[in-house]
Amino acid sequence: MNILAIGCHPDDLEIGCYGTLAKYVQMGHKVSVCHVANGNLGHVEIMQDELRKIRFEEAQAAAEVIGATHYSVDANDLYVTAEDDGLITRLAKVVRQAQPDLIITHYESDYMNDHVQTYQSAMRASFAASLPHFDLTAQEPVAGTCPIYHMDTLSGLGFIPTEYVDISDTIELKLKALACHHSQIDWMREHDHIDFLDFVRSCAKIRGYQSGVAYAEGFRANINYLRMTTKRLLP
């Protein structure tokens, strides 16, 4: 299968679903990851242009850890909106390039508007990518409309999984990928006294307790017309 994970900021997918994505890669599936926002406001001291470059490189390194193909839509933080036609065109191009059988993205009721808008953008762009006349300049073939799964929210607040993936054998790879985001991890450790890697490990452990394994990630299927399937698509 071709798997496309669409996250908002450059570390969101690593937090929410990189254990599952790593399993897909190990099973022989092709995994593509795309961040919509460039993370340019994600630091107190590093200015926007410099941080944009840093965070792209961190996301690229994280994707390489698990063997995924990395894309960026490059919208500025706080300016992600599904009403931005240019953003949708760029994201639809990614969808056509990835040709996904499954898309993983944010929950529709996530805590941050940029995350919610990323989900809505994924819905709009993935549908647009299936329309031959949406972008007449596109060189890529149209993509089929595929199922969408929502990944967990940060710390699991407001999210009740309907499906779990056992990531006990990929938890260390997930954390290794997340650790590539030095601009975020180091700052939180040194200035906020938060061990974010331990935080993410603990959340995976809680989902593991819920599902009877050491570590797990939780998901919910998107319940919409053309997004349903009779198949188990999660590993």
Side-chain angles (χ1 to χ4, degrees):
M1 289 194 303
N2 294 331
I3 313 301
L4 174 61
I6 300 173
C8 185
H9 304 99
D11 57 358
D12 287 332
L13 295 174
E14 289 84 335
I15 295 167
C17 66
Y18 249 50
T20 298
L21 297 183
K23 286 181 73 76
Y24 276 127
V25 173
Q26 291 177 355
M27 294 167 65
H29 301 295
K30 181 180 179 181
V31 173
S32 299
V33 295
C34 175
H35 62 269
V36 173
N38 56 33
N40 67 331
L41 298 181
H43 205 279
V44 175
E45 295 181 350
I46 303 174
M47 298 305 291
Q48 296 178 24
D49 289 345
E50 180 184 0
L51 186 60
R52 169 182 170 271
K53 180 176 182 293
I54 289 172
R55 299 203 69 184
F56 178 91
E57 293 172 349
E58 290 172 342
Q60 176 67 33
E64 290 174 359
V65 167
I66 66 167
T69 301
H70 172 232
Y71 297 95
S72 172
V73 174
D74 199 25
N76 288 332
D77 285 5
L78 299 183
Y79 288 90
V80 177
T81 171
E83 302 305 314
D84 183 339
D85 293 341
L87 184 156
I88 297 304
T89 298
R90 297 195 302 275
L91 185 54
K93 179 180 178 68
V94 172
V95 174
R96 286 184 170 188
Q97 289 174 325
Q99 292 290 311
D101 300 296
L102 169 69
I103 290 173
I104 297 175
T105 191
H106 290 283
Y107 186 43
E108 58 194 11
S109 300
D110 211 334
Y111 82 105
M112 180 188 292
N113 184 58
D114 275 2
H115 290 194
V116 174
Q117 291 297 321
T118 294
Y119 153 66
Q120 293 177 352
S121 296
M123 285 285 286
R124 184 182 174 200
S126 62
F127 190 81
S130 72
L131 303 176
H133 296 162
F134 166 68
D135 181 4
L136 295 178
T137 68
Q139 300 298 311
E140 303 82 12
V142 296
T145 305
C146 67
I148 291 178
Y149 278 83
H150 301 288
M151 64 185 178
D152 216 335
T153 59
L154 188 63
S155 81
L157 284 174
F159 188 88
I160 300 177
T162 56
E163 297 193 48
Y164 293 82
V165 174
D166 182 356
I167 63 164
S168 303
D169 58 346
T170 57
I171 181 65
E172 300 306 330
L173 204 57
K174 170 188 174 83
L175 296 177
K176 181 179 179 181
L178 181 58
C180 291
H181 295 272
H182 297 288
S183 68
Q184 309 300 298
I185 303 299
D186 295 348
W187 175 267
M188 285 189 283
R189 182 185 298 112
E190 295 168 6
H191 296 271
D192 298 331
H193 307 294
I194 297 173
D195 185 341
F196 197 66
L197 295 177
D198 179 69
F199 172 83
V200 172
R201 180 190 292 274
S202 298
C203 292
K205 192 170 186 178
I206 290 171
R207 292 306 190 200
Y209 278 129
Q210 294 171 353
S211 54
V213 297
Y215 295 98
E217 289 173 342
F219 297 88
R220 294 181 63 90
N222 182 272
I223 308 300
N224 273 300
Y225 181 64
L226 299 179
R227 304 295 182 173
M228 308 304 297
T229 180
T230 60
K231 303 175 183 178
R232 164 79 182 189
L233 296 178
L234 295 172

